[in-house]
Amino acid sequence: MSDRRRVNGPAGTTSPPVFVASSQTVEAEKKRLRAHNELRKIFLQTGVVPSASGSAYLELESQPVKPTLVSLSSTIKLSCSVQGPKPLPRTASFSPNLQLSASVKFAPFATRNRRGYVRDSTEKDLGLHLQNALKGVVIPDRWPKSSLDIAVTVLEGEDDQETGDRISGLGLYNMLAGCINVAMAALADARVDCLDLLAAGVGAIVSGADGKPVKVLDPAAIEHKKVVSSCLVGYLPTRDEIVELWCSDSGSSQGKEDAGFEELVDSAVAAARGAQTVLKEVLLESMMRNQVTTKKLTGQTAKDVEMTG
């Protein structure tokens, strides 16, 4: 007996139609509208999670593309929360340094293929790289027998060049750079002592219109037809140190001097300097906003004391 209160589906299985963009349309989308040394616009805001010790939200500008049935995306949206420093459990052994742990988790809707709730190898790899980068900037001996937990949630990631997957290739490099930047903003919002303002950037060598290699900053996979090599660095501008380095093919196999490893790293460092400028401006605005709020609360408390006295 059928249920009249529900709309029952068909008895057999059905295959929905799938539309794929033509090769000409895909090639037309892969065009960089920015200059080679121009970064994408970054939106960054701190204090988005009130219950956390520090938090931040980062979003990269989406590259405009022609509307197609299957359109690619170059938007990155990340959220980070910091818990601690907090004391270790009593059963834990004494540690003179801060125990830092970082994790990266994709939201189920962050990728084209829906992801599960259990962390996979890609998320563990990103978390390990993020933890190594942050260990190079945090001062651990300020909090003995304490722990600091940093959790980054990926709300949306950019598409890869070839497969359209958002967890591999150049998109993975941009994802890690965004995780480092948003984690550094959350650490500063949590008032955690650091050696410097850590910033991450991505540089790449792509194939130009005439076939010659061209050095670009902050590359997006949908803007270039072929990426020869790419590099990510975690950079401390004031100390002039690199705490994280992750590179693909350096271009030495191409046999061209223009595609050298040093120029690739220099382009990534230049991109990190640009991201560090945004981090500094956002943190200064946050500090001024907190000072104004503190003054207002202090004045209100003084008035209340005078009235009750």
Side-chain angles (χ1 to χ4, degrees):
M1 183 176 180
S2 61
D3 190 355
R4 297 181 180 180
R5 293 174 295 179
R6 300 181 182 179
V7 179
N8 298 323
T13 59
T14 59
S15 299
V18 178
F19 301 94
V20 180
S22 62
S23 59
Q24 297 179 356
T25 305
V26 174
E27 293 298 330
E29 290 182 354
K30 295 180 180 179
K31 182 178 180 181
R32 185 181 176 101
L33 303 178
R34 300 176 284 128
H36 296 326
N37 58 349
E38 183 181 356
L39 306 180
R40 284 178 286 183
K41 295 182 180 180
I42 301 176
F43 174 80
L44 181 62
Q45 184 177 356
T46 59
V48 295
V49 182
S51 59
S53 302
S55 59
Y57 172 80
L58 182 141
E59 181 176 346
L60 284 181
E61 178 189 23
S62 177
Q63 174 67 21
V65 295
K66 296 182 180 180
T68 57
L69 295 175
V70 181
S71 61
L72 302 178
S73 172
S74 65
T75 305
I76 294 179
K77 299 178 181 179
L78 304 171
S79 176
C80 178
S81 61
V82 175
Q83 301 291 341
K86 54 186 178 181
L88 291 174
R90 294 184 178 180
T91 56
S93 59
F94 176 79
S95 175
N97 297 326
L98 177 69
Q99 301 296 321
L100 187 145
S101 63
S103 62
V104 178
K105 186 69 181 72
F106 285 87
F109 50 84
T111 58
R112 185 170 299 179
N113 298 327
R114 188 174 180 85
R115 304 179 62 86
Y117 295 97
V118 181
R119 295 179 61 197
D120 55 10
S121 59
T122 302
E123 295 170 338
K124 293 179 181 179
D125 195 14
L126 285 174
L128 181 61
H129 282 280
L130 176 61
Q131 182 173 335
N132 291 335
L134 296 178
K135 281 185 177 180
V137 68
V138 175
I139 305 176
D141 55 355
R142 296 289 178 87
W143 299 274
K145 201 178 180 181
S146 301
S147 63
L148 184 67
D149 299 330
I150 302 172
V152 178
T153 303
V154 180
L155 303 177
E156 185 176 353
E158 67 177 11
D159 293 310
D160 191 25
Q161 177 186 5
E162 301 292 342
T163 61
D165 192 5
R166 300 185 179 183
I167 57 173
S168 62
L170 185 59
L172 191 64
Y173 282 39
N174 293 329
M175 187 85 63
L176 179 58
C179 291
I180 294 175
N181 293 330
V182 72
M184 186 66 236
L187 283 175
D189 186 55
R191 275 76 171 176
V192 177
D193 294 342
C194 299
L195 297 174
D196 197 356
L197 191 59
L198 174 65
V202 180
I205 296 177
V206 301
S207 180
D210 53 355
K212 296 183 179 180
V214 179
K215 182 177 65 175
V216 296
L217 306 183
D218 190 19
I222 66 173
E223 298 177 342
H224 308 285
K225 297 180 181 180
K226 181 180 180 181
V227 179
V228 179
S229 56
S230 55
C231 176
L232 174 141
V233 297
Y235 184 66
L236 302 178
T238 305
R239 301 171 64 91
D240 194 19
E241 295 180 3
I242 294 178
V243 296
E244 178 66 23
L245 180 64
W246 193 7
C247 294
S248 63
D249 181 22
S250 61
S252 58
S253 60
Q254 303 296 327
K256 298 180 180 180
E257 297 180 358
D258 295 338
F261 177 75
E262 294 182 359
E263 293 188 0
L264 187 64
V265 175
D266 291 341
S267 63
V269 169
R273 288 183 179 273
Q276 191 258 355
T277 304
V278 179
L279 283 170
K280 185 184 298 184
E281 293 180 358
V282 172
L283 294 178
L284 286 175
E285 292 179 1
S286 177
M287 183 182 65
M288 296 298 295
R289 185 171 58 252
N290 293 335
Q291 288 181 355
V292 173
T293 304
T294 304
K295 289 181 180 180
K296 291 182 178 179
L297 294 176
T298 305
Q300 185 66 28
T301 304
K303 292 180 181 179
D304 294 342
V305 171
E306 291 178 0
M307 292 176 64
T308 54

